[in-house]
Amino acid sequence: MGRMNFRAAVFAVLLSPVIVFGQGPEREAGSVSGNLQMLWQSYSEDALIGAIVPPEKSGFNAFGNLIYQQGGFSAGMRYESYLNAVLGFPGRFKGSGIGYRYARYADPSGKIDFTLGNFYEQFGSGMILRSYEERALGIDNALDGVRLIIRPIEGIEMKALYGRQRLDFDSRLINGPGIVRAVDGTIDMNGLFANRGGYDWKTKISLGASFVSKFQEGGTISKDSLILLLPENIGAWSYRLDLQRSGWSAGLEYSGKVNDPNADNGYTYRNGEALLFNLGYTRRGLGFSFNAKTVDNMSFRSDRNVLLFDLPINYIPAITQQHTYNLAATLYPYATVISGESSASAELFYNIPKGSLIGGKYGTTVSMNFAAANGLDTTQLSGEDELVYGYERNSWGFGPSKFVRDFNVQISRKVSKKFKWKYTYYNLEFNTLATPVTTTFKGIVYADIHVLETQIRTRKRQSLRTEFQALFTEQDKGDWATVLAEYTWSPHWFLSVVDQYNFGNSNSNSRVHYLFGAVGRIDGPHRLSIGYGKRREGIFCIGGVCRAVPASNGFEVNFTSSF
């Protein structure tokens, strides 16, 4: 189908419900909704921070979603534009066109849900299938095909899907070569047995199982004197159990995958395995959680030859806490090591009652978190076994190689109706060999980070928020500081200034102030901000997934709107 014919077909799908469902006075009226985002950046050369200027001297990303809904029918599309893409975004994303389109019918009874076109889906924690979008990272592995969801009786849900994954964009959607096939089933035991036999279970139990396979044309690979066949069909499966009772929650998920030689694992033929466990408890003012995970050779892509963010079928959830403060989030952020890791984390929070000596008039909240990740406990094989299988895992436990240790404690307190503060301390041990976030140091970075955040209501509907951050380390680039001030005239105006400064760098020429300021206005669902300044080269992370961003110096205009 030609490009113009395809676009005409999409608009026909969008308009068809107006014609079909709009007939007759008793039909439910349709509705249109959507959103828009535009980002423009200009670039100036700055040799001191390594900022370069692309030939077009600016970057532009934009997208808009348009959704029509009438009763159980909905259809939508996303128009995208990269002219050219801003630096740090996948450079092969270029041009303007439709990058996402779908038609969906969900029966009002809830028993049938059918989608044609693009869709996102996740089974369990995502360890064998997660199709999602994270626009700020340039990640979009939307499936393009057919999805069917059936709920035959209360408490049972079954899903089946077929499709290819989004890989690229060049004035149109470009899918990868592999085909993804998947089924999933979930049983809510409480819903299943509700009104059957008079059971009144206090414990909520959910069971689930999934199977995902991908097809890609095969071939051979040469390893020394060996000629090995590449499998065309790769299967992965998972089983999961979730429990809830009286503030307690627990979950267990096991995943497996048959041999899948690919670029991530050096084209070895080991099977893959993963085990994820979580336990939590919450009640008023108190809560804790514990998570543990071991992942071994679970890279799963619909094209065996790609790397980084391209065509991942699955997602390995992060165990470490995802930090939001500038220094902790951008200098040494940890994401899952895709080749394999064993990790665990624990978190505790407590609300000290208000009116107490320690809690103060409005109460005080204290939280602590500790996370650790190591390499796998393995034995390297030898000879042909090493070429084919690589290694043998000895246990589900920690191996000798340390990836990260992350301990943090946070205390937040409201002092009066006009003033509140929050203090956070981080202690990090970060292996830059396992997660290469810097090019100046290879080994373990030991760092302490202190953050003090304050918020003061200066006048009616006006407030000043500040952050004072400091990172101290004897490794890598040395000590850093960040100062942020944000003034808000609610509900419309805001002004912010942030300065990141590498004051402890052993090279005095590298002690640069990365100063950036922005002003903006908010009108209901519409937000416009204009900024100017320097951005440091580094790592940008969301949800345990990270990408490298280049240094830049210039203007930035960001506009978002929804309707």
Side-chain angles (χ1 to χ4, degrees), residues 102-125:
Y102 74 95
R104 178 181 180 183
Y105 177 72
D107 184 79
S109 68
K111 292 186 176 183
I112 299 293
D113 190 328
F114 191 78
T115 302
L116 296 173
N118 293 118
F119 55 89
Y120 299 107
E121 185 57 80
Q122 177 171 329
F123 294 168
S125 67

Side-chain angles (χ1 to χ4, degrees), residues 45-118:
E45 188 173 354
D46 192 329
L48 192 60
I49 66 173
I52 61 174
V53 179
E56 64 273 16
K57 299 185 184 300
S58 66
F60 178 76
N61 289 4
F63 75 92
N65 288 295
L66 182 65
I67 301 170
Y68 178 87
Q69 185 163 357
Q70 186 174 40
F73 178 86
S74 62
M77 68 175 187
R78 182 172 67 232
Y79 190 85
E80 304 178 23
S81 185
Y82 310 96
L83 301 170
N84 282 338
V86 299
L87 294 181
F89 211 75
R92 64 181 187 277
F93 283 21
K94 53 189 176 183
S96 300
I98 296 173
Y100 186 94
R101 69 283 186 269
Y102 74 95
R104 178 181 180 183
Y105 177 72
D107 184 79
S109 68
K111 292 186 176 183
I112 299 293
D113 190 328
F114 191 78
T115 302
L116 296 173
N118 293 118

